[in-house]
Amino acid sequence: MASDITSGLDDTQVKLLAEECLLVDEKDVVIGSASKKDCHLMTNIKNGMLHRAFSVFLFNSNNELLLQQRADAKITFPGYWANTCCSHPLNVPGETEEEGAIGIKKAAQRKLKHELGIEPEQVPLEDFHYITRIHYQAPCDNPIWGEHEIDYVLFIKKDVTVDPQPNEVQNYVYYSPGQIKSLLKKAEVDEEKVSPWFSLIAENLLDGWWKSLDDLEGIKRHDKIVKL
């Protein structure tokens, strides 16, 4: 069955399915680990499997948000536009640390380098701001795969050098709030594809956060998980 599920998929992306993600309950308490593949199978999601994730929102000095278009090689949501970087802390030393969401920030730094070629020195751990957590679920176009995550939202404001990994990212842009709204409208009529987690955040929360880029402490909510 496993070989049938991954048949015809990109070899590099299939290898990444072996990574061990952190399983959590609905209160974001770690209850174990499972492979990235198992975490994203809709059969497991329908049975309640939930894992920890993060979404990075990187803004430049003009307060524009860096978006990426996911590579067509990606297994989940290929070709979709999303926020700067979306991935998972792994069940490895350092990324399971919870104090100050430091494990999440280390994972974010790792994936910004892997996906977008952004050097860790350009995105120091201390410059990431943990805003809140989002709980969402979404199936992929291919009904075998899906997402069910408690997603840590991280903001960082930095001017960085972007050098995308083609197997991960096919395009990137810096957008203003107005351009984000235009992108979402195009997605509504199938002129563009936008990932479900980014759509949910952009439609429900992003505007207010964007206006508070110079006062992020005022929008942080660590005591509550927002269900979207």
Side-chain angles (χ1 to χ4, degrees):
M1 182 179 177
S3 60
D4 291 341
I5 288 173
T6 57
S7 177
L9 299 178
D10 180 83
D11 288 342
T12 300
Q13 293 295 327
V14 168
K15 288 176 183 176
L16 293 173
L17 290 177
E19 293 178 334
E20 285 282 314
C21 298
L22 299 172
L23 297 179
V24 294
D25 64 17
E26 292 202 353
K27 294 182 179 178
D28 192 35
V29 175
V30 175
I31 57 174
S33 66
S35 70
K36 182 179 174 183
K37 183 183 85 171
D38 285 346
C39 287
H40 291 86
L41 288 173
M42 280 304 298
T43 50
N44 293 331
I45 290 170
K46 288 175 181 176
N47 288 326
M49 186 175 283
L50 176 63
H51 63 278
R52 186 176 284 172
F54 64 83
S55 284
V56 175
F57 289 71
L58 185 149
F59 300 85
N60 64 16
S61 56
N62 293 321
N63 286 350
E64 297 167 320
L65 174 61
L66 175 60
L67 303 185
Q68 65 156 279
Q69 186 179 22
R70 294 161 67 84
D72 289 336
K74 298 287 280 187
I75 294 170
T76 57
F77 301 101
Y80 279 64
W81 285 98
N83 48 285
T84 312
C85 180
C86 325
S87 192
H88 318 91
L90 302 180
N91 187 27
V92 297
E95 295 189 13
T96 59
E97 298 176 43
E98 297 191 340
E99 184 69 28
I102 190 65
I104 297 285
K105 294 173 183 178
K106 288 178 179 178
Q109 195 182 58
R110 170 177 59 83
K111 289 300 290 185
L112 285 167
K113 169 63 175 173
H114 174 223
E115 294 186 5
L116 291 160
I118 298 172
E119 295 295 338
E121 295 78 15
Q122 293 192 319
V123 283
L125 295 177
E126 61 268 22
D127 289 341
F128 284 98
H129 294 267
Y130 159 38
I131 304 299
T132 193
R133 291 168 290 178
I134 305 296
H135 181 180
Y136 79 97
Q137 180 177 325
C140 294
D141 295 336
N142 180 340
I144 292 173
W145 306 99
E147 296 284 5
H148 189 206
E149 300 180 331
I150 289 185
D151 191 19
Y152 282 66
V153 176
L154 300 178
F155 274 26
I156 185 167
K157 187 173 179 179
K158 286 286 179 181
D159 290 323
V160 296
T161 302
V162 181
D163 182 20
Q165 162 57 253
N167 191 256
E168 293 285 333
V169 176
Q170 62 177 286
N171 197 9
Y172 71 94
V173 292
Y174 283 95
Y175 269 2
S176 67
Q179 289 171 307
I180 297 287
K181 287 183 174 65
S182 178
L183 177 64
L184 293 174
K185 286 180 180 178
K186 288 180 180 179
E188 288 176 2
V189 294
D190 296 325
E191 291 181 8
E192 293 283 5
K193 294 180 178 181
V194 178
S195 74
W197 61 89
F198 181 54
S199 291
L200 287 167
I201 293 171
E203 290 167 359
N204 292 282
L205 298 164
L206 186 57
D207 268 359
W209 291 345
W210 210 317
K211 293 171 184 174
S212 301
L213 279 180
D214 295 323
D215 183 26
L216 293 177
E217 293 303 317
I219 63 171
K220 293 179 180 179
R221 297 291 182 269
H222 297 171
D223 59 337
K224 182 181 178 183
I225 298 171
V226 181
K227 200 159 188 176
L228 296 175

